[in-house]
Amino acid sequence: MNGFARALAALCVSLAVVVGISHAQTYTLKADGNSGHDDVWVKRYYTGVNSWGIVGNHVPGTEGDIWWDSFPGESGRYEIVLGAVVEPDGDCPFRISANGSTLHEGRYPYACGDLVCGSGCASTTRDIDCGTHQISHGATISMWASSVYPCGTDHGQYGRFYQIEFTFIEASTDPSAIPTSISTPADGENLPAGETYTLSAEGEDVRWSYDADSDGKGVVSIGAGNTVEFAVPTDVTGAMSIRIMADGSNGSDQVNCSITGSGSSTPGAGEGVFLEQDGLVVIELESAPLKTSWKEGTTHAGYTGSGYYYWDGPSNFNIPTGNTGNHLEYEVEIKTAGTWYLGIRSWSKEPNDGYNDTWVSVTPCERFSDRYFKLYTPVVGSWTWQTINSTRGGIISDYNLEPGIVKIILEPRSPEHNMDRIVLYTDPVTEDPATDLSNPQSPTNDDSVDAAPGGLVRARVPARSARTAVRLYSIDGRLIGTYRRQQLRHVLDGSTIPAGVYLIRAGSSAERVSVHPGR
């Protein structure tokens, strides 16, 4: 072999090595390394792997998402393989998405090829080929699954998996081919008024603008570029909502957010006044914003919503006499006059004054009063509605209320008194149905929307379910339609939706929404 041939051969070998390394690059997203998940996802180590799956609650169709915030590989095409735990007694549906767009969806195979409800077939790990797909660097990757119980609700299949592998195939050579997609902020995120927020998006020639619902300015230009600094406006009132838009050379994207901390008259992040529904009001504690030394916890399993609140500051055994700045406040619109009953679901680690109580006031028409009472629980180590009003000595506190706005105010008394949700109810509702944990949080005045025939219905979906398929149900349980989050963007097609009250489910979360066509 002459010198030129040897050099050429060496060059070919070198190129082959380089190309081989590049194309063989694999990125593995471990289930244990997730960035976040709906509360139905739990660690379910099985068959020798660190797998996660849907909680075994014996309820078919329990669904949700688990996700990783930023894909580490360069933008390009990847071969995707799901490292799954397959079982003999179920073939649950699953979906893998990037930035809300579906990459692959299918069903788990049976461990032995067909459904086996008895013995004779063992669960095992299996690689599921999910095809090749375009993925952008920094994309949010999500995995959705839904549990199935074809052999009865005593055992089922829960979408267990332990990793998702992405093997690089080829790079994106044309930046303009990357769709315009907003990375931050997330849909439903809360933006503090007056602060500077960094907006970021994928795509080419990105131009930013916003439209706040009640500032009277219409669409306002922000700037251009994949990342821009945005001064969150302080002159927004009312609903405190804002739509942020990105327009690029290959499409557009938008997210709907809430503005907090600018004199909003509503309690909570984007929440309004909670509305009575036929004698019942249900409130998640975390619908109010955290302040001072209030903390959100998730350690004690069995809570509803995204978590629970507890005081992490010093004890305060003196009855509050005014605004201490430490209060949590929830506004409720009452339509039915009569005797109303208040219950607060809580968890305590000790049965004494040091850890098991909170000051509570239910105050018609006034912000603060001398009507605080100590609410405490004698139950230790579990969630309970047995929270006692020390003034009246009863398990459930009662109030004579007239139609109008009522404020429920919580002031700290002891640290680590964990509170999950509040119920307020009157006849004909009784304690058992009121405290049923399947009840969704009550709608607020922000949830009532107008939709003319052929129009659109704006629907607020919990931010933590931003990567989840959304289903619209009638109150009697009929499925009206299914909407992917990428399609939804908080808006449903209202052309075929009759007037009425509906239930919107996203993962384990549920919200009621009223539709009033032509009003």
Side-chain angles (χ1 to χ4, degrees):
M1 182 182 294
N2 60 33
F4 175 77
R6 283 194 298 270
L8 181 60
L11 176 61
C12 290
V13 170
S14 177
L15 286 174
V17 171
V18 172
V19 172
I21 291 173
S22 176
H23 283 202
Q25 179 66 55
T26 297
Y27 300 92
T28 303
L29 301 181
K30 296 288 188 180
D32 268 346
N34 71 82
S35 302
H37 54 86
D38 290 335
D39 55 11
V40 298
W41 281 93
V42 294
K43 291 181 179 180
R44 305 201 67 174
Y45 292 0
Y46 199 43
T47 64
V49 294
N50 294 356
S51 54
W52 283 57
I54 301 295
V55 64
N57 58 5
H58 312 291
V59 179
T62 300
E63 60 173 312
D65 284 78
I66 183 170
W67 59 86
W68 300 259
D69 281 340
S70 183
F71 182 66
E74 65 177 293
S75 297
R77 289 188 63 78
Y78 287 82
E79 180 184 80
I80 303 175
V81 175
L82 174 66
V85 176
V86 296
E87 304 181 46
D89 55 354
D91 63 339
C92 77
F94 73 97
R95 180 173 61 251
I96 298 174
S97 303
N99 285 338
S101 295
T102 299
L103 300 175
H104 178 83
E105 58 185 339
R107 302 188 75 94
Y108 277 46
Y110 294 114
C112 294
D114 294 302
L115 177 65
V116 178
C117 291
S119 59
C121 179
S123 300
T124 186
T125 58
R126 185 168 303 170
D127 289 343
I128 299 177
D129 183 0
C130 299
T132 59
H133 304 275
Q134 180 74 30
I135 303 175
S136 299
H137 172 72
T140 296
I141 305 297
S142 61
M143 164 77 174
W144 169 90
S146 177
S147 61
V148 296
Y149 293 80
C151 297
T153 56
D154 59 331
H155 61 97
Q157 208 260 352
Y158 315 101
R160 289 187 180 98
F161 78 103
Y162 61 97
Q163 67 182 30
I164 308 175
E165 282 191 345
F166 300 81
T167 301
F168 183 82
I169 302 299
E170 61 182 357
S172 296
T173 56
D174 182 5
S176 65
I178 300 175
T180 303
S181 176
I182 295 176
S183 302
T184 58
D187 210 16
E189 188 169 341
N190 301 315
L191 307 181
E195 294 193 10
T196 300
Y197 192 99
T198 301
L199 309 177
S200 62
E202 294 278 339
E204 186 77 3
D205 190 26
V206 178
R207 301 170 303 282
W208 296 86
S209 59
Y210 78 88
D211 185 7
D213 281 354
S214 50
D215 66 354
K217 298 178 181 178
V219 176
V220 179
S221 176
I222 300 173
N226 291 94
T227 59
V228 297
E229 297 299 308
F230 172 52
V232 182
T234 58
D235 54 356
V236 179
T237 58
M240 301 290 285
S241 59
I242 185 170
R243 185 171 74 256
I244 296 176
M245 297 161 282
D247 294 291
S249 57
N250 194 35
S252 61
D253 195 12
Q254 67 178 35
V255 293
N256 295 282
C257 299
S258 298
I259 298 176
T260 59
S262 181
S264 169
S265 61
T266 61
E271 299 285 353
V273 178
F274 289 96
L275 304 178
E276 171 197 340
Q277 295 283 301
D278 300 322
L280 175 65
V281 180
V282 179
I283 303 172
E284 296 289 349
L285 263 288
E286 63 272 20
S287 63
L290 289 168
K291 60 168 63 174
T292 60
S293 294
W294 287 98
K295 299 291 178 62
E296 182 172 7
T298 57
T299 302
H300 305 306
Y303 55 84
T304 60
S306 62
Y308 51 85
Y309 278 6
Y310 65 94
W311 175 249
D312 195 34
S315 299
N316 176 26
F317 297 140
N318 297 318
I319 297 177
T321 57
N323 186 352
T324 66
N326 295 325
H327 65 285
L328 300 176
E329 181 179 318
Y330 306 85
E331 287 189 322
V332 176
E333 182 179 355
I334 296 298
K335 297 181 180 179
T336 306
T339 301
W340 284 78
Y341 301 90
L342 174 76
I344 299 182
R345 188 171 185 251
S346 65
W347 192 103
S348 175
K349 71 176 184 178
E350 293 186 20
N352 58 56
D353 270 359
Y355 299 96
N356 73 342
D357 48 28
T358 297
W359 294 113
V360 179
S361 174
V362 177
T363 312
C365 306
E366 298 176 276
R367 187 173 180 82
F368 296 99
S369 74
D370 59 355
R371 301 177 186 176
Y372 283 96
F373 64 87
K374 183 181 79 171
L375 180 141
Y376 70 95
T377 176
V379 177
V380 176
S382 64
W383 289 106
T384 179
W385 289 101
Q386 190 177 352
T387 44
I388 298 175
N389 179 339
S390 62
T391 303
R392 293 184 174 89
I395 292 178
I396 297 290
S397 304
D398 60 295
Y399 299 88
N400 291 320
L401 300 177
E402 297 295 327
I405 301 298
V406 172
K407 298 179 187 292
I408 302 172
I409 303 171
L410 307 181
E411 282 274 359
R413 191 176 191 278
S414 298
E416 298 186 53
H417 180 216
N418 307 283
M419 292 176 288
D420 179 36
R421 61 164 41 185
I422 300 169
V423 294
L424 194 64
Y425 62 93
T426 190
D427 186 67
V429 181
T430 57
E431 181 177 347
D432 285 345
T435 56
D436 187 335
L437 298 185
S438 66
N439 291 328
Q441 178 169 263
S442 295
T444 69
N445 55 2
D446 291 338
D447 291 329
S448 293
V449 296
D450 293 331
L456 297 175
V457 177
R458 185 171 298 278
R460 179 176 51 78
V461 177
R464 66 190 179 86
S465 299
R467 302 169 180 86
T468 307
V470 175
R471 290 172 172 81
L472 183 70
Y473 291 88
S474 62
I475 290 301
D476 61 6
R478 290 182 297 107
L479 178 64
I480 305 300
T482 300
Y483 303 84
R484 291 285 167 75
R485 181 63 177 170
Q486 186 73 3
Q487 300 168 337
L488 181 65
R489 296 298 184 195
H490 289 277
V491 176
L492 303 180
D493 179 3
S495 60
T496 60
I497 303 177
V501 178
Y502 295 87
L503 184 68
I504 291 178
R505 296 196 63 88
S508 62
S509 300
E511 297 285 345
R512 291 189 185 187
V513 59
S514 299
V515 178
H516 309 287
R519 191 180 67 179

